[in-house]
Amino acid sequence: MSDPKAYYITTPIYYINALPHIGNAYTTIVADTLARFNRARGREVVFATGTDEHAEKVLQAAEAQGLEPKVFADGLADGFREAWARLGITYDDFIRTSEERHHRATREVVRRMMDSGDIYKGDYEGWYCVSCATFFPDTDSDSPNCPNEECGKPLERRKQPSYFFRLSAYGDRLLAHFEENPEFVVPEFRKNEVVSFIESGLHDCCISRSSNGWGVPFPGDEEQQVYVWFDALINYLTVTGWPDEDGDYQRLWPCDVHLVGKDILTRFHATLWPAMLMSIGVPLPKTVAAHGFWLNKDRKISKSGGGLVSVDQLAEEMGEMVEVDRDVAYDAVRYFALREMTFGQDAEFSREALWGRFNADLANDLGNVLNRSLPLIERSFEGVIPEGSYDPDIDASVKRAAKLSEERVDDFDFRGALDAIWESIGNLNKYLDTKAPWNLVRDDEAAAKDCLLTTCEAIRRLSILLTPFIPHAAMEVRSQLGLAVGTEGTFEEELSGGPRVAGTKIARGKPIFPRIKIPKSKPAEEAEPVEKSVADEKPKASFDDFMKLEFRVGTCLSAEPVEGADKLYRLKVDIGTEERQVVAGVAHVFPPDELVGKKLVIVANLEPAKIRGVESQGMILAAGEKDPVALVTLDRDVENGERVR
Ligand code: ME8
């Protein structure tokens, strides 16, 4: 039976002062992946994104260009729409706060809050930052500059009659809601931050400003307009057609997921917004899911904080380095964002890591399966995928990937979902190594047919699973298999039953994921100050110096994240005579299951040291001071504890 409630998912509505960059693209890519995943499960989905336009700085920028603010905003909102289309974002509604439907919903929210006795008039005085559209209480700003470290612009002293919302009355009800609805804020550790914020006491909230003609007029007092943050949150209701309650509202509300960055979780999405809804008697959304920040050298990437790089620019740079389909270049950014960041934690963005992931995962792992099977089908079977039997182990491996990726996507663990799919791609490469169909075509044609049928069917199924993450590339994979694309069914339809590719004439084109030759130096305008490498500065070591060091072979037994450090693992390594705990900065490159079981080389006689409070009894050898890091491993098996010299 189909679910009468659609899956309703939202992103923040973005300020229009910067076009999509890796930060806001991440939120939107995550929302798109969830939307596509749920559509592929046969659910009706409504995915909304949009633009937050009533900021004072929009008015100022429009005036500076001699334009009406609406005309100025139209151009920027179109810029967002076009950029999202290039990234393959399949939103169903694009909401702009300057639209009439949004003004109507906002004014109705305010009216209903007045009816509940939650709004009163008072005087508001404080330091105001035009850029952040925020008042800061005096205690937060002894200095006249904005305390938001990404901004730091001069504050203006402002005093004005304003309307206030009795937010202070909602603390207990909010806490009770969190208690009764453990899934309201995810991840769990973010909920703890929100709870402490509320427990420390909520203040009433100023919800209006003197009118400047660019905002939602305050009901009953046209001298005032609704404060931008207050009106922005209401966009989520506007999309449902509210206050009309008999149309889409019934189907969409309560919202399933508001996706946000951690910057706008505590004060806005987990406190003000639910309190507003309580005040007007509208049920609360099911989940607010907050992710961490993309960082550039440990600082949040933002327009004012630096490191801002547009997604279009990344796709363009990739196109300059390698002959790649432009849609696939955008998919590379989607893939990187979803695989590199652990949802909820911060992650460092670098081009090197992006190109590295493309080469290692897409060109090598996924590309290899195609490159090792399709040319062989062309050469030995006239380009037609042969009949054969589908290998039960590969079948099981793909089914496991499907099950795990579905479970993990539901838990917002996109990285884990891709890990599961890549484990299956890894199994497929190992299967090809073992079967060596390029030899079988000479020695055992039936076995060669089984192997190629199995490989193509597994690729077809994995490409279905990959579609929500990398939609263009996944389609391209299916089209190289010779399959009709664009009419795919649900996961259930596509992943059940026997193999379907036999007899298909493949259509191998140019490689979908050609390897990027990663340039040694960055473009001039990007160049960082040249740091002398540590190796350059080292004095010569005598043979005796070298012999003081003891390198040993060890097997990695476990890899656990070190709390508060995105890049560090606490590894347990068996070095034959004992088990060592080693802290290693490779967590941003390798998921735990790629390390566990691996033979590593460790410096075994280093003095123990504490790293982030965790004792490290040695060091593993790895190449590359920057990402991507490569581990020093052994080209054949030797016993743990063997010395390396
Ligand atoms: O706050 N890392 O809009 P905004 C990760 N209009 N995510 C990032 C990021 C980064 N470095 N930089 C931005 C606003 N984001 C309000 C929202 S909603 C009712 C009103 C993402 O344009 C992240 O999702 O400043 C963050 O919450 C959002 O962009 C802020 O976008």
Side-chain angles (χ1 to χ4, degrees), residues 296-550:
N296 173 34
K297 303 193 188 80
D298 289 337
R299 290 194 65 191
K300 180 188 172 199
I301 290 179
S302 68
K303 194 163 181 223
S304 35
L308 202 73
V309 40
S310 86
V311 174
D312 290 324
Q313 190 185 335
L314 290 173
E316 191 149 314
E317 283 175 23
M318 193 164 163
E320 281 162 14
M321 288 191 289
V322 70
E323 203 187 315
V324 67
D325 196 285
R326 190 45 66 98
D327 287 343
V328 173
Y330 281 101
D331 273 5
V333 177
R334 290 177 66 114
Y335 175 78
F336 171 81
L338 293 164
R339 185 92 195 255
E340 194 77 5
M341 180 176 259
T342 301
F343 190 89
Q345 310 280 344
D346 294 347
E348 184 77 19
F349 173 81
S350 78
R351 286 172 167 79
E352 291 82 352
L354 167 57
W355 314 142
R357 276 258 173 228
F358 180 86
N359 277 351
D361 302 354
L362 295 170
N364 280 6
D365 297 342
L366 181 55
N368 255 358
V369 183
L370 294 166
N371 297 341
R372 297 163 96 197
S373 49
L374 298 189
L376 196 56
I377 294 172
E378 271 179 349
R379 277 201 309 275
S380 305
F381 297 97
E382 291 170 352
V384 177
I385 301 173
E387 299 272 354
S389 54
Y390 187 38
D391 186 280
D393 290 340
I394 292 295
D395 187 25
S397 154
V398 174
K399 287 197 168 122
R400 184 180 138 80
K403 180 169 174 294
L404 287 179
S405 59
E406 285 207 48
E407 285 168 10
R408 291 177 183 174
V409 165
D410 283 339
D411 284 343
F412 301 96
D413 178 10
F414 305 96
R415 178 180 197 160
L418 287 167
D419 287 348
I421 297 174
W422 251 259
E423 188 182 312
S424 191
I425 294 173
N427 288 339
L428 205 49
N429 267 317
K430 281 186 213 134
Y431 169 80
L432 283 167
D433 292 343
T434 319
K435 295 280 175 188
W438 38 93
N439 294 334
L440 288 177
V441 286
R442 284 193 322 261
D443 310 335
D444 183 348
E445 193 180 85
K449 287 180 170 172
D450 290 346
C451 175
L452 290 169
L453 179 278
T454 295
T455 307
C456 292
E457 177 63 17
I459 299 174
R460 182 186 73 78
R461 290 177 186 227
L462 290 168
S463 82
I464 293 287
L465 285 177
L466 279 173
T467 301
F469 304 92
I470 45 171
H472 305 113
M475 264 208 188
E476 185 55 26
V477 167
R478 285 197 292 284
S479 102
Q480 293 217 350
L481 285 176
L483 302 168
V485 293
T487 54
E488 289 79 3
T490 61
F491 279 161
E492 203 180 330
E493 285 156 6
E494 294 289 337
L495 301 175
S496 58
R500 309 201 185 152
V501 292
T504 312
K505 177 112 176 101
I506 62 167
R508 185 165 77 98
K510 58 183 172 56
I512 305 171
F513 311 107
R515 256 190 97 77
I516 303 176
K517 280 208 186 74
I518 300 174
K520 286 265 178 302
S521 58
K522 294 183 176 182
E525 71 276 15
E526 270 267 334
E528 293 161 8
V530 184
E531 284 168 32
K532 266 198 166 177
S533 97
V534 180
D536 290 340
E537 287 171 4
K538 290 213 167 127
K540 290 231 167 0
S542 70
F543 185 70
D544 284 350
D545 288 336
F546 175 69
M547 289 309 282
K548 279 187 201 146
L549 288 175
E550 185 179 287

Side-chain angles (χ1 to χ4, degrees), residues 11-17 21-24 26-27 52 229 232-236 259-264 269 291-295 300-302 341:
T11 70
I13 47 170
Y14 302 109
Y15 290 131
I16 48 180
N17 58 347
H21 52 84
I22 186 74
N24 51 22
Y26 177 73
T27 325
D52 185 355
W229 252 108
L233 288 162
I234 296 166
N235 90 84
Y236 304 128
L259 271 171
V260 294
K262 67 180 182 182
D263 49 337
I264 57 175
H269 284 81
H291 61 75
F293 287 154
W294 285 98
L295 307 176
K300 180 188 172 199
I301 290 179
S302 68
M341 180 176 259

